Amino acid sequence: LTSAQMPAGSVLQVVNAANNVSRRTATTSFVSIFGTAASITPKISGSRIFASITIGGISRNSTDYNATTSFRIQDGSGNDLKILADHYHYRIQSADPGNIRANAHWFVDLGTSTTAGTAKSFNVVFRNGNGSVSVAVTYDSGDYTNITLWEIAQ
C-alpha cells in the first residue's frame, strides 16, 4: 500500500531528534532545548502530526529549594503551538546545589494541517521560573531529551 492508501489512524512515518547537551538559562525568555528544530515532511496532504516529548532531567545551581520551569512546543517560526507545562514545579530536598532527577513526558496532537512534500518544523523550548534552572540531559551519560514526530493518516 502507498501512504495515500493507508486507512485513517495509520502511522505513515516517525521522525526522532535527540539531544544530550545541557542547556541553562537564568532568564524568563524561552530557550530552545535542541538548538535546532525537528522536521518532518508529510507524505500525504491532510494528515495530522503528533509529538512525543521526553525531557531527560532538570537541574538547578542555586540553593533555592523550589524551582519552576515552563515548557512549550513551537512551530518553525517560533509560534507557540502547545503549552506543555506552565510552571512545572519540583522541590529540592537538599540545600546542596546540583542535579536532581526530574523527568517529564508529553504526547500531544499538534493539530497542524499538512501538505504533502512541505516540511514542518517543531522545537521544544523552556524558560526559567526562579533561580537558574536548566534542562540537564547530561545528568547521567545515558540521559537524552527527545522529540518524536508522528504523521498519522486521517
Side-chain angles (χ1 to χ4, degrees):
L1 293 176
T2 66
S3 296
Q5 296 171 317
M6 299 294 286
S10 297
V11 176
L12 302 177
Q13 67 174 309
V14 178
V15 176
N16 183 65
N19 187 336
N20 68 343
V21 176
S22 183
R23 304 219 187 262
R24 184 174 301 279
T25 185
T27 72
T28 56
S29 298
F30 281 96
V31 175
S32 171
I33 290 175
F34 295 99
T36 184
S39 294
I40 189 168
T41 302
K43 295 187 179 293
I44 63 173
S45 295
S47 58
R48 292 186 76 88
I49 305 297
F50 287 76
S52 172
I53 299 111
T54 301
I55 306 298
I58 302 168
S59 72
R60 54 83 169 101
N61 66 350
S62 72
T63 55
D64 184 354
Y65 283 91
N66 292 294
T68 62
T69 305
S70 296
F71 295 96
R72 295 184 178 182
I73 188 164
Q74 296 179 336
D75 64 16
S77 299
N79 300 309
D80 289 343
L81 296 177
K82 297 282 183 178
I83 296 173
L84 301 174
D86 215 13
H87 306 296
Y88 182 79
H89 183 266
Y90 48 96
R91 180 162 172 76
I92 310 304
Q93 298 299 323
S94 166
D96 179 32
N99 294 323
I100 62 163
R101 190 66 167 216
N103 299 330
H105 183 81
W106 298 275
F107 188 78
V108 294
D109 178 354
L110 297 177
T112 60
S113 60
T114 61
T115 302
T118 302
K120 293 276 206 179
S121 296
F122 304 95
N123 208 344
V124 179
V125 297
F126 77 106
R127 72 176 174 190
N128 172 29
N130 61 325
S132 180
V133 178
S134 71
V135 172
V137 295
T138 55
Y139 180 86
D140 284 331
S141 61
D143 283 350
Y144 282 84
T145 293
N146 294 283
I147 180 170
T148 304
L149 302 173
W150 308 66
E151 180 185 7
I152 308 295
Q154 296 299 297

mmCIF file of all heavy atoms in Angstrom, residues 99-117:
data_model
loop_
_atom_site.group_PDB
_atom_site.id
_atom_site.type_symbol
_atom_site.label_atom_id
_atom_site.label_comp_id
_atom_site.label_asym_id
_atom_site.label_seq_id
_atom_site.Cartn_x
_atom_site.Cartn_y
_atom_site.Cartn_z
ATOM 1 N N ASN A 99 22.302 18.620 40.573
ATOM 2 C CA ASN A 99 21.308 17.939 39.762
ATOM 3 C C ASN A 99 20.279 17.207 40.608
ATOM 4 O O ASN A 99 20.579 16.709 41.675
ATOM 5 C CB ASN A 99 21.997 16.923 38.855
ATOM 6 C CG ASN A 99 22.873 17.589 37.828
ATOM 7 O OD1 ASN A 99 22.529 18.638 37.319
ATOM 8 N ND2 ASN A 99 24.004 16.995 37.541
ATOM 9 N N ILE A 100 19.077 17.174 40.096
ATOM 10 C CA ILE A 100 18.037 16.309 40.644
ATOM 11 C C ILE A 100 17.506 15.487 39.493
ATOM 12 O O ILE A 100 17.710 15.819 38.334
ATOM 13 C CB ILE A 100 16.893 17.103 41.307
ATOM 14 C CG1 ILE A 100 16.194 17.990 40.277
ATOM 15 C CG2 ILE A 100 17.381 17.895 42.478
ATOM 16 C CD1 ILE A 100 14.858 18.464 40.727
ATOM 17 N N ARG A 101 16.823 14.447 39.811
ATOM 18 C CA ARG A 101 16.273 13.579 38.777
ATOM 19 C C ARG A 101 14.795 13.902 38.622
ATOM 20 O O ARG A 101 13.957 13.336 39.309
ATOM 21 C CB ARG A 101 16.480 12.124 39.179
ATOM 22 C CG ARG A 101 16.177 11.132 38.125
ATOM 23 C CD ARG A 101 17.167 11.285 36.986
ATOM 24 N NE ARG A 101 17.096 10.158 36.100
ATOM 25 C CZ ARG A 101 18.131 9.655 35.503
ATOM 26 N NH1 ARG A 101 19.321 10.178 35.699
ATOM 27 N NH2 ARG A 101 17.998 8.655 34.693
ATOM 28 N N ALA A 102 14.480 14.847 37.774
ATOM 29 C CA ALA A 102 13.088 15.194 37.484
ATOM 30 C C ALA A 102 12.900 15.025 35.986
ATOM 31 O O ALA A 102 13.517 15.722 35.197
ATOM 32 C CB ALA A 102 12.780 16.615 37.907
ATOM 33 N N ASN A 103 12.088 14.070 35.585
ATOM 34 C CA ASN A 103 11.829 13.811 34.177
ATOM 35 C C ASN A 103 10.414 14.250 33.832
ATOM 36 O O ASN A 103 9.553 14.326 34.705
ATOM 37 C CB ASN A 103 11.989 12.324 33.854
ATOM 38 C CG ASN A 103 13.390 11.838 34.129
ATOM 39 O OD1 ASN A 103 14.339 12.606 34.027
ATOM 40 N ND2 ASN A 103 13.533 10.580 34.484
ATOM 41 N N ALA A 104 10.185 14.495 32.574
ATOM 42 C CA ALA A 104 8.851 14.879 32.119
ATOM 43 C C ALA A 104 8.598 14.240 30.763
ATOM 44 O O ALA A 104 9.527 14.050 29.969
ATOM 45 C CB ALA A 104 8.741 16.392 32.028
ATOM 46 N N HIS A 105 7.331 13.914 30.492
ATOM 47 C CA HIS A 105 6.972 13.327 29.197
ATOM 48 C C HIS A 105 5.584 13.803 28.793
ATOM 49 O O HIS A 105 4.678 13.867 29.622
ATOM 50 C CB HIS A 105 6.981 11.798 29.274
ATOM 51 C CG HIS A 105 6.683 11.163 27.963
ATOM 52 N ND1 HIS A 105 7.636 11.000 26.987
ATOM 53 C CD2 HIS A 105 5.531 10.696 27.450
ATOM 54 C CE1 HIS A 105 7.079 10.440 25.928
ATOM 55 N NE2 HIS A 105 5.802 10.249 26.186
ATOM 56 N N TRP A 106 5.438 14.150 27.521
ATOM 57 C CA TRP A 106 4.138 14.573 26.983
ATOM 58 C C TRP A 106 3.922 13.906 25.639
ATOM 59 O O TRP A 106 4.862 13.674 24.886
ATOM 60 C CB TRP A 106 4.091 16.085 26.760
ATOM 61 C CG TRP A 106 4.259 16.890 27.999
ATOM 62 C CD1 TRP A 106 3.286 17.250 28.902
ATOM 63 C CD2 TRP A 106 5.469 17.463 28.501
ATOM 64 N NE1 TRP A 106 3.829 17.995 29.910
ATOM 65 C CE2 TRP A 106 5.169 18.151 29.693
ATOM 66 C CE3 TRP A 106 6.799 17.469 28.050
ATOM 67 C CZ2 TRP A 106 6.111 18.821 30.432
ATOM 68 C CZ3 TRP A 106 7.749 18.140 28.793
ATOM 69 C CH2 TRP A 106 7.405 18.808 29.973
ATOM 70 N N PHE A 107 2.660 13.636 25.310
ATOM 71 C CA PHE A 107 2.260 13.185 23.976
ATOM 72 C C PHE A 107 1.161 14.130 23.538
ATOM 73 O O PHE A 107 0.125 14.218 24.208
ATOM 74 C CB PHE A 107 1.759 11.732 23.999
ATOM 75 C CG PHE A 107 1.519 11.183 22.628
ATOM 76 C CD1 PHE A 107 2.581 10.751 21.850
ATOM 77 C CD2 PHE A 107 0.240 11.115 22.114
ATOM 78 C CE1 PHE A 107 2.373 10.251 20.569
ATOM 79 C CE2 PHE A 107 0.020 10.612 20.841
ATOM 80 C CZ PHE A 107 1.085 10.181 20.069
ATOM 81 N N VAL A 108 1.389 14.876 22.461
ATOM 82 C CA VAL A 108 0.447 15.930 22.085
ATOM 83 C C VAL A 108 0.069 15.853 20.614
ATOM 84 O O VAL A 108 0.872 15.467 19.766
ATOM 85 C CB VAL A 108 1.013 17.344 22.392
ATOM 86 C CG1 VAL A 108 1.176 17.562 23.875
ATOM 87 C CG2 VAL A 108 2.328 17.581 21.691
ATOM 88 N N ASP A 109 -1.172 16.228 20.331
ATOM 89 C CA ASP A 109 -1.666 16.396 18.972
ATOM 90 C C ASP A 109 -1.365 17.841 18.586
ATOM 91 O O ASP A 109 -1.887 18.767 19.194
ATOM 92 C CB ASP A 109 -3.170 16.128 18.944
ATOM 93 C CG ASP A 109 -3.802 16.333 17.578
ATOM 94 O OD1 ASP A 109 -3.113 16.794 16.640
ATOM 95 O OD2 ASP A 109 -5.008 16.047 17.459
ATOM 96 N N LEU A 110 -0.497 18.027 17.597
ATOM 97 C CA LEU A 110 -0.118 19.387 17.216
ATOM 98 C C LEU A 110 -1.186 20.065 16.377
ATOM 99 O O LEU A 110 -1.124 21.266 16.157
ATOM 100 C CB LEU A 110 1.229 19.371 16.489
ATOM 101 C CG LEU A 110 2.385 18.870 17.365
ATOM 102 C CD1 LEU A 110 3.674 18.818 16.568
ATOM 103 C CD2 LEU A 110 2.556 19.734 18.594
ATOM 104 N N GLY A 111 -2.169 19.302 15.900
ATOM 105 C CA GLY A 111 -3.310 19.888 15.212
ATOM 106 C C GLY A 111 -2.954 20.675 13.967
ATOM 107 O O GLY A 111 -3.641 21.606 13.606
ATOM 108 N N THR A 112 -1.869 20.324 13.306
ATOM 109 C CA THR A 112 -1.445 21.086 12.140
ATOM 110 C C THR A 112 -2.003 20.467 10.871
ATOM 111 O O THR A 112 -2.127 19.256 10.747
ATOM 112 C CB THR A 112 0.090 21.133 12.042
ATOM 113 O OG1 THR A 112 0.573 19.802 11.927
ATOM 114 C CG2 THR A 112 0.702 21.795 13.255
ATOM 115 N N SER A 113 -2.372 21.317 9.908
ATOM 116 C CA SER A 113 -2.778 20.817 8.602
ATOM 117 C C SER A 113 -1.503 20.598 7.792
ATOM 118 O O SER A 113 -0.531 21.336 7.926
ATOM 119 C CB SER A 113 -3.707 21.809 7.904
ATOM 120 O OG SER A 113 -3.045 23.040 7.732
ATOM 121 N N THR A 114 -1.500 19.566 6.980
ATOM 122 C CA THR A 114 -0.284 19.227 6.248
ATOM 123 C C THR A 114 -0.510 19.258 4.745
ATOM 124 O O THR A 114 -1.615 19.045 4.258
ATOM 125 C CB THR A 114 0.219 17.826 6.633
ATOM 126 O OG1 THR A 114 -0.782 16.869 6.295
ATOM 127 C CG2 THR A 114 0.538 17.745 8.117
ATOM 128 N N THR A 115 0.564 19.517 4.052
ATOM 129 C CA THR A 115 0.605 19.434 2.601
ATOM 130 C C THR A 115 1.733 18.479 2.251
ATOM 131 O O THR A 115 2.854 18.634 2.748
ATOM 132 C CB THR A 115 0.877 20.821 1.974
ATOM 133 O OG1 THR A 115 -0.141 21.724 2.406
ATOM 134 C CG2 THR A 115 0.900 20.749 0.463
ATOM 135 N N ALA A 116 1.440 17.495 1.435
ATOM 136 C CA ALA A 116 2.450 16.505 1.066
ATOM 137 C C ALA A 116 3.684 17.198 0.502
ATOM 138 O O ALA A 116 3.590 18.110 -0.322
ATOM 139 C CB ALA A 116 1.882 15.528 0.044
ATOM 140 N N GLY A 117 4.851 16.790 0.995
ATOM 141 C CA GLY A 117 6.116 17.318 0.490
ATOM 142 C C GLY A 117 6.556 18.638 1.086
ATOM 143 O O GLY A 117 7.646 19.116 0.789
#
